[in-house]
Amino acid sequence: MLTHEQLKAKALENREVREEYERVNREEFALLDMLLQARREAGLTQAEVAARMGTKAPAIARLERSLASGQHSPSISTVRRYLKACGKHLQLEVI
């Protein structure tokens, strides 16, 4: 049986899989950067964002960590609530 890392390495040998993996990672990191910038500009801690969202600080830490690791994509609703807690709003644009 392959370990997770071995399976991942094997999958990434496929060009199409590797390109999609890289595309998703770029998007996740861009979203993380956007959220962290919004929180910094608002001068808020994770605990303060959590309180404004009606949740606990560990939930915000998990959200930010999951984006950093590429393990989870938050819903648009969650991103919208996070940004609202930071005094921002989400605007989507299709080009």
Side-chain angles (χ1 to χ4, degrees), residues 25-70:
N25 276 337
R26 283 190 305 272
E27 291 172 357
E28 298 293 336
F29 286 129
L31 178 57
L32 175 61
D33 288 345
M34 179 188 68
L35 295 179
L36 294 177
Q37 180 179 349
R39 183 161 65 83
R40 274 193 305 273
E41 287 176 1
L44 300 173
T45 64
Q46 288 178 338
E48 291 166 328
V49 171
R52 291 178 179 199
M53 289 178 66
T55 190
K56 306 274 187 208
I60 301 304
R62 279 191 307 275
L63 169 67
E64 292 176 357
R65 187 173 52 250
S66 70
L67 284 168
S69 68

